[in-house]
Amino acid sequence: MSNPLTRTKSVEQSMADTEEPGSQLKKSLTWWDLTVFGVSVVIGAGIFTITASTAGDKAGPAISLSFVMAAIACALAALCYAEFASTVPVAGSAYTFGYATFGEFLAWILGWDLILEFAVGSAVVSKGWSSYLGTVFGFSGGTVEVAGLDVDWGALVIVTVITTLLVLGTKLSSTFSAVVTTIKVAVVLLVIVVGFFYIKADNYKPFIPESQPSDSGGKSVDSTLFSLITGGGDSNYGWYGVLAAASIVFFAFIGFDVVATTAEETKNPRKDVPRGILGSLAIVTVLYILVTVVVTGMLNYKELATSAGDGEPKNLAYAFGENGVTWAEKVISIGALAGLTTVVMVLMLGQSRVLFAMARDGLLPRGLSKTSKFGTPARIQIIVGVAVAVVAAFFPIDKLEEMVNVGTLFAFVVVAAGVIVLRKTRPDLQRGFSVPWMPVIPILAIISCVWLMLNLSALTWIRFVIWMVIGVVVYFAYSQRHSLVGKRERGEMSDEVGDATRAANLEKRGEG
């Protein structure tokens, strides 16, 4: 009997489990649906906010370099995701990949990590959606006081609507996402075209501003881990600033990996999943870099700093307003509202698919893995919706964005390493896409992601470690004993799942 911590779940078993009666996801997605999902989750409010504020506070005009660095790290990881998802087209993304390569314990850690990524991301973004709702319709945000408690009703509305759509079907959600994504991409293109007419070449000088020491002197938990190790300060401008900004703007790229969680619902996953992952990343990278060029050309980076003007973080609308293009603020707000709508949708979709895969494996209660008549994991989707709604509506979580970054980067590192392992242990597997220049690309992916992790704040690392410790406790208290792979090894199952699967397949062919 294998070590419970390192026992793996074979690719063949993972594929067989997708046919388990009552837990089958409907295959309805094409490569275009996946590309739309990727673009819709990556293009959010970040393109309208994070570009201006990070340029003003951290990198100056060199913010475009920060985006290039983050994009390169994402591209390297995306190649690894594309190979894995085309080889093991099963729900669960990094969790499923980790189970096939490194074993159950690390798979659980990855799943627990993805829960953090998607749950915090969904809650943070839904609160952002609520604030933009007020901007678009002319009121002070979607918050109301009830019995002395601030309730974000705007976040409740968007999470409820999105949960309903996801329960009714993934294809329906994709169609809705495509419509909304078209709107927000049109807004982004309008911003880029109009903004180019207001660019002043002098605003790009100096391209990399001289480094400035921070108030903390690099000695606080808000300093990046790298700056604490090297004594480089808090990374305001200079190359430290560019590096720190790359770790911050990485948040804007998060989401393309969600495409991998829908592999099991794709008609031709071996070809379509790689196309969806790489295609969506290419589109958003071009858009992001063009927006950074526009915003830093419209205003000097000092005018974009939080300390300038009213002391509030600056956004793209501010840059247009300072140039007299006041109508752009409303248009940008509409684009941001549309952008955040689909971000919430795809993050909640990814969250439910990871939990679905974990429940099907017994690491969470197996009753949660049952699918509805719409071919969706309705039970899990509703639970995810309730959890995200409660957190977003009642808790102040605006400072937790970096938690999403560290969790995602950790998953990227493991997936990149897993590609190398699976190439050596299972060279016989059919791969719809293969990472070129093996193992150079995965190794570079690991190095770049670790580098970005080091440039996140020490406080983020402390929170991340605490979350992981909780996950380890849950694993040993529940998941290890209920693992389906473990039960099969111990002979505690009469292969009832396999018997039921074969019976269902015979029934489909009219032989039952």
Side-chain angles (χ1 to χ4, degrees):
M1 187 177 295
S2 63
N3 186 328
L5 298 182
T6 57
R7 58 191 176 206
T8 59
K9 183 179 181 182
S10 69
V11 173
E12 290 78 7
Q13 185 62 61
S14 292
M15 296 294 290
D17 285 351
T18 65
E19 298 297 325
E20 182 182 334
S23 297
Q24 293 173 299
L25 296 172
K26 184 178 180 180
K27 295 182 180 294
S28 60
L29 303 177
T30 65
W31 71 270
W32 179 248
D33 293 318
L34 301 186
T35 302
V36 169
F37 272 142
V39 174
S40 63
V41 71
V42 178
I43 298 291
I47 198 169
F48 303 110
T49 57
I50 199 171
T51 49
S53 61
T54 309
D57 295 335
K58 292 290 183 182
I63 183 67
S64 56
L65 288 182
S66 301
F67 269 97
V68 170
M69 291 177 182
I72 290 172
C74 286
L76 294 170
L79 291 170
C80 299
Y81 265 89
E83 174 167 331
F84 242 133
S86 69
T87 308
V88 193
V90 177
S93 186
Y95 159 77
T96 300
F97 308 155
Y99 216 153
T101 51
F102 296 111
E104 184 174 283
F105 180 69
L106 187 56
W108 166 264
I109 291 297
L110 280 168
W112 190 252
D113 171 47
L114 291 173
I115 292 172
L116 171 73
E117 173 190 344
F118 295 140
V120 173
S122 299
V124 169
V125 174
S126 60
K127 288 183 80 70
W129 185 93
S130 180
S131 65
Y132 272 104
L133 184 70
T135 302
V136 171
F137 293 103
F139 56 87
S140 58
T143 304
V144 65
E145 186 174 320
V146 178
L149 183 68
D150 287 334
V151 178
D152 197 327
W153 62 265
L156 282 175
V157 169
I158 186 60
V159 172
T160 301
V161 171
I162 294 303
T163 300
T164 303
L165 283 170
L166 291 173
V167 167
L168 292 177
T170 309
K171 185 65 177 180
L172 174 63
S173 303
S174 175
T175 302
F176 173 80
S177 182
V179 173
V180 178
T181 299
T182 300
I183 295 172
K184 66 179 177 182
V185 170
V187 171
V188 172
L189 292 175
L190 177 65
V191 164
I192 292 170
V193 172
V194 174
F196 263 111
F197 289 97
Y198 294 90
I199 288 177
K200 304 174 187 67
D202 288 344
N203 288 332
Y204 295 126
K205 302 174 184 178
F207 187 66
I208 303 179
E210 185 177 348
S211 179
Q212 296 181 7
S214 66
D215 295 335
S216 68
K219 304 297 183 181
S220 75
V221 292
D222 291 321
S223 305
T224 69
L225 192 62
F226 180 70
S227 66
L228 285 174
I229 294 172
T230 61
D234 269 350
S235 307
N236 292 331
Y237 310 124
W239 278 107
Y240 276 111
V242 174
L243 294 171
S247 295
I248 294 171
V249 301
F250 178 81
F251 181 77
F253 283 98
I254 285 177
F256 77 84
D257 55 314
V258 177
V259 174
T261 69
T262 63
E264 195 174 323
E265 296 162 88
T266 305
K267 294 178 180 178
N268 187 3
R270 298 194 187 281
K271 291 184 178 180
D272 291 348
V273 174
R275 289 176 183 174
I277 291 174
L278 299 175
S280 58
L281 186 60
I283 292 170
V284 300
T285 298
V286 171
L287 292 176
Y288 274 140
I289 291 175
L290 288 174
V291 168
T292 62
V293 171
V294 167
V295 71
T296 54
M298 292 179 71
L299 278 184
N300 184 278
Y301 74 93
K302 293 180 180 178
E303 296 178 72
L304 293 171
T306 300
S307 58
D310 57 6
E312 294 293 324
K314 305 303 184 292
N315 54 32
L316 201 56
Y318 177 83
F320 276 86
E322 290 296 295
N323 279 273
V325 193
T326 54
W327 57 264
E329 181 176 4
K330 181 69 72 175
V331 173
I332 289 171
S333 296
I334 292 172
L337 189 66
L340 291 175
T341 302
T342 53
V343 173
V344 175
M345 171 179 284
V346 183
L347 286 176
M348 289 179 63
L349 172 70
Q351 173 82 94
S352 65
R353 287 350 180 232
V354 171
L355 291 172
F356 170 79
M358 296 171 76
R360 189 164 59 187
D361 290 336
L363 302 187
L364 293 174
R366 273 180 53 77
L368 296 176
S369 67
K370 297 301 179 184
T371 51
S372 68
K373 63 180 180 179
F374 302 109
T376 62
R379 295 179 184 178
I380 287 180
Q381 197 68 70
I382 292 171
I383 291 173
V384 167
V386 171
V388 171
V390 169
V391 172
F394 298 101
F395 294 94
I397 55 172
D398 303 70
K399 302 296 183 182
L400 297 182
E401 293 98 331
E402 283 195 11
M403 291 287 287
V404 183
N405 289 22
V406 69
T408 304
L409 286 165
F410 175 68
F412 286 3
V413 168
V414 177
V415 168
V419 169
I420 300 174
V421 172
L422 204 62
R423 279 281 191 99
K424 290 186 176 181
T425 58
R426 294 299 307 274
D428 57 304
L429 291 173
Q430 180 184 354
R431 289 170 170 83
F433 174 86
S434 296
V435 175
W437 301 326
M438 194 70 173
V440 176
I441 294 296
I443 290 173
L444 288 176
I446 293 170
I447 292 172
S448 60
C449 289
V450 169
W451 176 256
L452 289 174
M453 291 174 77
L454 289 174
N455 280 281
L456 292 170
S457 71
L459 180 59
T460 295
W461 276 93
I462 293 170
R463 290 168 172 164
F464 180 65
V465 170
I466 292 173
W467 175 257
M468 285 300 156
V469 170
I470 295 172
V472 171
V473 172
V474 174
Y475 173 77
F476 285 108
Y478 178 89
S479 304
Q480 186 184 50
R481 292 183 293 108
H482 292 83
S483 164
L484 216 61
V485 173
K487 287 184 176 182
R488 287 191 179 109
E489 284 190 352
R490 295 191 296 270
E492 295 177 12
M493 293 183 63
S494 56
D495 201 19
E496 57 197 29
V497 173
D499 292 340
T501 301
R502 284 187 287 274
N505 289 335
L506 288 172
E507 185 177 346
K508 284 181 183 178
R509 297 195 297 266
E511 301 173 18

